[in-house]
């Protein structure tokens, strides 16, 4: 969903610096207001379709005022690329293989940062881009890699290698910060998931070098262009959906866009919405190429319902204007933040600024480079343009002041006072990672157990249970501050007469189950350590006992080739699952407690419906030599960015073929009859039989496996690669994560228990995975299920059943009036009032209304990270409030500290600040009325 306040900013307001004849022309770029002027006609939504206030271009005056503010020297070869951060930090990339980072310092202007230049790429740097909220930077190179950086600390976060290692010519962040797209010499376009740091898809649709790509501001579409004069438009959702094997096809294409190829394209952040049909949107695109022309294009999209869960999207492109003026090829085009202005660079050694609102007038031509100009960029307030050039006598980065009034002594980025404790944020804290990215051994316990440690299980962050060959269950507490491990006073728990095979805590932690070679399964009271219940004794060994996540049942299985589902409260058998032809070695329950999977030595696993006890699916020969262990991910949305009418699960299995396999299981919603299973990943690396496998909790970003090769391995679930190898002295039999993924326990056959401290990187991945999701769905595409999810986000789940019964979907939300929607839901007067207000703002947000406000904005309404008015304010554990996506991007950049205080955060929980959100809305409504 695109931001309503995408252009609203505070830190760059410098109105006193503008000459009189520029104040009006540039106000639209620097201050924000809700305009009632021009085209405030009513649309079918019952709300107003606002537009940018049209202002005089004042062509001619701007040329006399624009000046060179600064010449930046440092690069020793062609300057190929440049980009501005929201806080005016400037980054440049060059054929000298370096990326340079420049910070604005009052009194000196742009000064290169001490850690700069960055010398990591092996060949010329082709593109640099800063993430939407300014916490990350991407650089690409002819060396075939794209690097992701923390822009504050300039630490490298991740390396992405283009398919076949071919040169990368261009890269671009998605507007929601979750994706990076790279493209280059072989025409391949690679889509990278930045949340999970993995390659989602590679497109091989362009035959020429892909030299330009850009997202629409609502993250709906990706536009790519190549040297063979072809432009293609892709639906982002099709690109990121990994549940289908259908090849992606562009929604539309145009040929011969520029004679001899396209060098650059850009799309305005301003979206026009059809006043008569809110399901139709218009985007403005600019292109430059070898034929000396700039071309302006209109991309039209229309959403229509295909069925109750799917939508159809139509896209077309038409030429709207041709801008002539350059005397040679146009190398780069960039829109200003609001889309009002366009800047272009050329091989004719000039930079031109165009007004797209008044006959596409050229406002100024900037001469200063002695050689070809390769790149240009606007600052976020559009007062400054930067350009970079090539040639043996140039290699300059020129900073242009378009107002003629900015000096090196100016403060370009104003301070923001915090709303508590009087703290003043002078700049976003420049910190490095607080923790090593290596796994470290906290403690090895080798003097307690009298038999091999066969099973271990964490409850919460601190409580750990083990079961061993000495017949005892032991309970340990891990100190939160010093991580010391102490055995509890009521430990060990005695009752079994032979070796213990498995132990597991219930989800709420009040019960502990244990199963043994003696054929018994016991339930223990966690607090007292007393045995409270037991399953009727089996004559054969019980290999596994697993609680259901809802706490209603427990499943056991063992040598008798049967699995039994027991009522936890009465220990009566609910159902018996029969069909395996050998020992059941493992079992697990889906996170919604609807499906049970059992695995056996016979190399097969079976999926069962809990409610009917029917076998839904049998996978034969899943692992050569037999399956040793299986586990479900806790995540009920395990396949990222999926739009489907099916429920997905992720299952891990391991076995005697030295492999760990991940399986994607899907069933129809509200049904477990129609089931589909597909192998999703095969994780190879162990040199022996893999004995156990476990997902990290909650979002399941990591999976741990243990094996006879004396190793445990941590794997990236979505990247499919091994993150860490943990060496032991003996066969590793079991593993368990604690609740926040900061600790890992492993048990060995040599009677040792190992406790590992996991790096903050893994904690961070788990913490942010469910905070940063690609918002590729517009409201018009929402299903009834999506509407219910939205209600939960705005604390209105109480009317979810009404919405479910009415079948309300996104298209109805957009096309019906607020009164019609509330009437159809049969809401009382008070609830209707709240719902109508939420609907009004949802429509404004979804329509991406970018209008301007001439009033001063209270500091508490501005995000300390972006210095822009907040749309989704959330409170962090440091007590401060931030824009949700901005602080999530902060976490994504590897930061675990407060952006305001630099103190380490106690957690990464984000709590919606609905009170502040409502205050911001009232303020904007008041500003609208004053206009």
């Amino acid at each position: 969903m695109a931001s309503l306040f995408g252009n609203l900013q505070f830190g760059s307001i410098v109105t006193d610096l503008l000459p009189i004849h520029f104040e009006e022309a540039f106000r639209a770029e620097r201050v924000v207001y809700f305009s009632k002027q021009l085209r405030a006609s009513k649309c079918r939504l019952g709300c107003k379709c606002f537009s940018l206030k049209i202002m005089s271009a004042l062509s001619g005056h701007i040329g006399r005022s624009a000046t060179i503010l600064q010449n930046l020297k440092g690069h020793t070869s062609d300057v190929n690329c440049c980009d501005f951060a929201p806080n005016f930090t400037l980054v440049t990339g060059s054929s000298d293989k370096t990326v340079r980072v420049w910070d604005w310092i009052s009194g000196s202007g742009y000064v290169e940062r001490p850690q700069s230049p960055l010398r990591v790429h092996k060949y010329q740097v082709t593109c640099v881009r800063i993430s939407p909220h300014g916490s990350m930077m991407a650089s690409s190179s002819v060396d075939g890699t794209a690097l992701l950086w923390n822009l504050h600390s300039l630490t490298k976060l991740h390396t992405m290698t283009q398919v076949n290692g071919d040169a990368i010519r261009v890269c671009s962040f998605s507007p929601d910060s979750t994706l990076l797209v790279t493209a280059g010499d072989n025409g391949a376009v690679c889509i990278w998931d930045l949340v999970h740091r993995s390659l989602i898809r590679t497109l091989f649709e362009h035959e020429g070098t892909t030299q330009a790509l850009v997202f629409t501001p609502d993250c709906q579409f990706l536009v790519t262009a190549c040297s063979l004069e072809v432009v293609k438009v892709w639906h982002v959702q099709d690109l990121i959906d990994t549940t289908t094997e259908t090849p992606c096809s562009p929604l539309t294409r145009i040929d011969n866009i520029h004679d001899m190829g396209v060098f650059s394209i850009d799309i305005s952040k301003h979206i026009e919405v059809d006043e008569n049909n809110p399901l139709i949107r218009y985007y403005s695109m600019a292109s430059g190429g070898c034929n000396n022309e700039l071309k302006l294009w209109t991309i039209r999209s229309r959403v229509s319902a295909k069925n109750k869960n799917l939508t159809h999207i139509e896209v077309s492109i038409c030429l709207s204007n041709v801008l002539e003026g350059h005397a040679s090829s146009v190398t780069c085009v960039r829109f200003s933040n609001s889309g009002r202005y366009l800047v272009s660079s050329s091989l004719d050694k000039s930079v031109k600024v165009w007004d797209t609102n008044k006959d596409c007038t050229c406002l100024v031509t900037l001469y200063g480079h002695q050689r070809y100009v390769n790149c240009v960029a606007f600052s976020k307030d559009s007062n400054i343009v930067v350009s970079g050039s090539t040639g043996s006598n140039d290699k300059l980065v020129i900073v242009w002041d378009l107002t003629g009034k900015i000096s090196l002594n100016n403060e370009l980025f104003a301070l923001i006072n915090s709303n508590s404790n009087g703290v003043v944020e002078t700049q976003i804290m420049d910190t490095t990672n607080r923790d090593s990215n290596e796994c470290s051994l906290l403690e090895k316990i080798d003097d307690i157990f009298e038999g091999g440690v066969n099973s271990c299980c964490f409850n919460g962050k601190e409580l750990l249970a083990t079961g061993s060959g000495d017949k005892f269950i032991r309970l340990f507490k891990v100190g939160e501050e010093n991580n010391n491990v102490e055995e509890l006073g009521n430990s060990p728990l005695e009752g079994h007469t032979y070796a213990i095979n498995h132990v597991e805590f219930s989800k709420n932690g009040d019960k502990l189950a244990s199963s043994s070679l003696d054929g018994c399964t016991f339930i223990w009271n966690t607090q007292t350590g007393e045995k409270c219940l037991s399953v009727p004794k089996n004559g054969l060994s019980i290999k596994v006992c697993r609680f259901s996540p809802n706490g209603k049942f427990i499943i056991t299985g063992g040598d008798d080739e049967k699995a039994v589902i027991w009522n936890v409260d009465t220990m009566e058998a609910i159902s018996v699952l029969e069909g395996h032809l050998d020992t059941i070695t493992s079992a697990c329950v889906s996170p919604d407690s609807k499906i049970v999977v059992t695995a056996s030595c016979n190399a097969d696993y079976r999926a069962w419906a809990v409610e009917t006890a029917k076998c839904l699916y049998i996978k034969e020969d899943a692992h050569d030599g037999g399956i040793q262990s299986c586990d479900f991910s806790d995540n009920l949305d395990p396949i990222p960015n999926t739009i489907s009418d099916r429920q997905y699960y992720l299952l891990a299995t391991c076995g005697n073929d030295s492999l760990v396999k991940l399986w994607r299981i899907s069933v129809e919603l509200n049904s477990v009859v129609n089931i589909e299973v597909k192998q999703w990943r095969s994780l190879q690396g162990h040199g022996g039989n893999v004995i156990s496998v476990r997902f990290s909790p909650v979002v399941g970003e990591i999976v741990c496996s243990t094996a006879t090769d004396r190793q445990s391995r941590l794997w990236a679930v979505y990247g499919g690669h091994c993150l860490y190898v943990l060496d032991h002295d003996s066969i590793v039999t079991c593993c368990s994560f604690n609740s926040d993924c900061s600790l890992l326990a492993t048990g060995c056959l040599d009677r040792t228990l190992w406790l590992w401290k996991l790096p903050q990187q893994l904690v961070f991945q788990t913490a942010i995975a469910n905070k940063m999701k690609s918002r590729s769905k517009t409201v018009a595409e929402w299903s009834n299920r999506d509407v219910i999810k939205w209600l939960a986000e705005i604390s209105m789940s109480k009317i979810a059943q009404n919405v479910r019964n009415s079948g309300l979907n996104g298209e109805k939300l957009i096309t019906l009036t607020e009164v019609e929607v509330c009437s159809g839901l049969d809401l009382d007067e008070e609830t209707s009032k709240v719902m109508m207000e939420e609907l009004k703002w949802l429509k404004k947000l979804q329509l991406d209304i970018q209008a301007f406000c001439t009033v001063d904005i209270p500091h508490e309404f501005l995000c300390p990270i972006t210095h822009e008015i907040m749309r989704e304010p959330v409170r962090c554990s440091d007590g401060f409030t931030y824009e949700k996506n901005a602080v999530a991007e902060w976490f994504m950049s590897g930061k675990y500290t407060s952006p305001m205080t630099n103190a380490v955060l106690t957690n990464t929980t984000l709590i919606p600040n609905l009170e502040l959100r409502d205050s911001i809305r009232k303020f904007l409504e008041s500003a609208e009325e004053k206009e």
Side-chain angles (χ1 to χ4, degrees), residues 571-582:
M571 280 304 163
E572 295 178 352
I574 299 174
S575 54
V576 178
L577 311 179
E578 297 185 75
H580 285 291
L581 302 177
D582 208 334

Side-chain angles (χ1 to χ4, degrees), residues 484-499:
N484 287 338
V485 183
E486 298 180 356
E487 189 171 2
L488 297 184
N490 59 356
S491 176
L493 309 183
E494 301 181 40
H496 287 290
T497 56
Y498 288 98

Side-chain angles (χ1 to χ4, degrees), residues 25 114 146 176 257 353 357 415 443 565 575 690 758 802 868 884 911:
D176 57 21
I257 181 172
V353 180
N357 273 2
L415 308 182
E443 190 161 350
I565 298 177
S575 54
V690 187
L758 301 184
N802 301 52
E868 297 179 354
K884 180 181 178 182
I911 302 174

